[in-house]
Amino acid sequence: MTQNPPNLRPDLAPKPVFDGPASPGQPRIGMVSLGCPKALVDSERILTRLRAEGYAISPDYAGADAVIVNTCGFLDSAKAESLEAIGEALTANGRVIVTGCLGAEPDYITGAHPSVLAVTGPHQYEQVLDAVHGAVPPAPDPFVDLMPATGVKLTPRHYSYLKISEGCNHKCRFCIIPDMRGRLVSRPAHAVVREAEKLVEAGVRELLVISQDTSAYGLDLKHGVSAGRGGREHRAHITDLARDLGQLGAWVRLHYVYPYPHVRDLIPLMAEGLVLPYLDIPFQHAHPDTLKRMARPAAAAKTLDEIAAWRAICPEITLRSTFIVGYPGETEEEFQTLLDWMDEAQLDRVGCFQYENVAGARSNALPDHVPDEVKQERWDRFMEKAQGISEAKLAAKVGTRLEVIVDEVDAEGATCRTKADAPEIDGNLFIDEGFETLTPGDIVTVEVDEAGEYDLWGRIA
């Protein structure tokens, strides 16, 4: 699990990423946000509430009266990073409040850092605010503390994560997220659509839909209907939600989609242009025995049929996934099955993790753990395979015209993304000529004239 980009972390930020300096006497809070986009959304919600209560947001440790560290606890390596970040904040500031997934293990945190002011668990917004109030009392000024309609955003202004649910009903043996974040709890559909409308009205050009299991959205609500603005009804089902979001005029990108049968109903929306032709699906492995040990659906062959059906409906669809190599009991034959499956599936974007134990995960007790050197060797072979597929697919785009969204412009050129690229995790398209009039958030058409292993280069068409 990786941390957020350096320019989103106040301890590493080269310049402030928040709005304006604090007023005299105004309490100031810093934030370090680690982990996945779902945690980033939690950080945005916390900061929005604090700004509404009169707190200023400090871009550095020295200027903060206290620091909130939003932690990740998914893997042991992520836990170590979180403890390190807490230690950095304590050294630089001394007044630290801990929240997030690792906060579900308060003794683990206080055992390493007994001087933290408070520890709260994931999405416990009220408890975080109570802890901040206790450490740094608010000083609201209704004449100064005006909030934008979108609240505080930790992403660039032109894209935003849109969280549609919390928790997960799966019981994968390697994962402790259901233990930390609980079972699936979906937001009412009208509330999601209203938030999306406000974001688009404020200038957001791309909505990144996230949850722990996007395909299951609304299951706990029995896919009920709720009324939004003007009495318009919205159904809590991912297909209906995607259609509603697709009518707002922004790019809509779907993340963490499990390949349930009803996912096929999303593909026509992509073919119509309502939703980006992009699916982020956590396949994790391809061998049925490995999937069974993971306690995941063991239907790799059927998955290939589904992929073929999706591509038949929407040939331009981009498929991204993540995999685990070196899972306990994984044999060379099982790993080779995964490589062969990759040859057949030809996924566009692929990430891979080497298995590691996580405290509390049921997979720890499985027999036949794979030696570290074997994990590394399989990871190298897997990534070589994935890189070759990516390179060939990108080479086929040379000479084509693609719509891209501009993320950043500097003296050297413009860094953009195609519809096939999610921010921070996929590739980029670079424009190094004729970019001077571009600004972040622009959507332009380019002609691709060069391809690499993961990135493209082009010029404005």
Side-chain angles (χ1 to χ4, degrees), residues 8 228 280 319 348 350 382 400 456:
L8 300 185
D280 178 3
L319 299 178
D348 304 86
V350 173
F382 180 93
T400 64
L456 297 169

Side-chain angles (χ1 to χ4, degrees), residues 38-46 70 125 163 166 181:
K38 293 179 288 295
L40 187 66
V41 173
D42 290 343
S43 296
E44 291 175 341
R45 289 180 178 175
I46 292 167
N70 191 0
Y125 308 120
K163 188 192 288 190
E166 286 284 2
R181 289 184 170 263

Side-chain angles (χ1 to χ4, degrees), residues 137-165:
D141 184 345
F143 297 102
V144 176
D145 304 325
L146 301 178
M147 281 294 301
T150 58
V152 176
K153 307 303 296 179
L154 297 179
T155 51
R157 294 181 184 273
H158 61 281
Y159 69 80
S160 180
Y161 291 103
L162 183 66
K163 188 192 288 190
I164 63 174
S165 67

Side-chain angles (χ1 to χ4, degrees), residues 2 5 37 159 161 208 253-256 278 280 320-322 349-351 417 420-428 454:
T2 59
Y159 69 80
Y161 291 103
L208 300 113
R253 190 181 301 277
L254 302 177
H255 285 284
Y256 314 124
Y278 180 101
D280 178 3
R320 117 164 299 279
S321 189
T322 52
R349 305 283 187 266
V350 173
R417 287 179 293 108
D421 299 299
E424 310 302 339
I425 58 175
D426 293 327
N428 293 298
Y454 299 109

Side-chain angles (χ1 to χ4, degrees), residues 6-22 26-33 47 51 55-68 92-93 152 154:
N7 64 350
L8 300 185
R9 288 187 55 177
D11 54 323
L12 301 177
K15 59 183 179 180
V17 296
F18 304 113
D19 55 331
Q26 187 178 19
R28 295 167 295 184
I29 301 295
M31 170 72 82
V32 177
S33 189
L47 292 179
R51 282 291 288 116
Y55 291 89
I57 310 303
S58 174
D60 53 51
Y61 286 136
D65 296 306
V67 176
I68 301 170
N93 183 277
V152 176
L154 297 179

Side-chain angles (χ1 to χ4, degrees), residues 221-405:
L221 301 177
K222 298 182 179 178
H223 302 307
V225 173
S226 58
R229 283 202 299 182
R232 183 185 174 191
E233 293 186 338
H234 301 278
R235 180 171 175 250
H237 188 285
I238 186 56
T239 305
D240 299 73
L241 181 65
R243 184 181 295 108
D244 289 342
L245 296 176
Q247 295 171 354
L248 300 181
W251 284 10
V252 178
R253 190 181 301 277
L254 302 177
H255 285 284
Y256 314 124
V257 179
Y258 281 74
Y260 303 143
H262 69 263
V263 169
R264 192 178 296 187
D265 297 332
L266 290 169
I267 312 305
L269 302 182
M270 299 178 182
E272 295 170 24
L274 281 177
V275 178
L276 291 184
Y278 180 101
L279 276 183
D280 178 3
I281 300 179
F283 289 122
Q284 305 297 10
H285 211 277
H287 195 284
D289 292 344
T290 312
L291 291 167
K292 186 176 181 179
R293 291 195 302 277
M294 290 178 170
R296 293 180 65 82
K302 189 174 181 180
T303 299
L304 290 173
D305 293 338
E306 283 297 306
I307 291 173
W310 299 338
R311 286 174 170 156
I313 298 169
C314 183
E316 66 271 27
I317 192 171
T318 294
L319 299 178
R320 117 164 299 279
S321 189
T322 52
F323 295 86
I324 298 173
V325 296
Y327 190 78
E330 182 188 60
T331 64
E332 177 62 27
E333 178 187 359
E334 291 175 356
F335 175 69
Q336 185 60 49
T337 296
L338 173 59
L339 294 183
D340 295 342
W341 186 91
M342 284 285 292
D343 279 329
E344 292 191 64
Q346 291 288 299
L347 301 184
D348 304 86
R349 305 283 187 266
V350 173
C352 184
F353 296 94
Q354 297 180 45
Y355 171 82
E356 60 179 83
N357 282 339
V358 179
R362 293 178 296 151
S363 57
N364 300 353
L366 289 173
D368 303 322
H369 280 243
V370 178
D372 288 344
E373 60 272 18
V374 176
K375 292 180 193 175
Q376 181 65 49
E377 186 265 345
R378 289 178 182 172
W379 185 88
D380 291 337
R381 288 161 60 194
F382 180 93
M383 292 308 298
E384 182 180 5
K385 172 78 68 178
Q387 179 178 305
I389 293 171
S390 173
E391 190 171 11
K393 281 180 168 283
L394 293 182
K397 296 182 184 295
V398 173
T400 64
R401 293 191 172 194
L402 302 173
E403 228 180 8
V404 303
I405 188 167

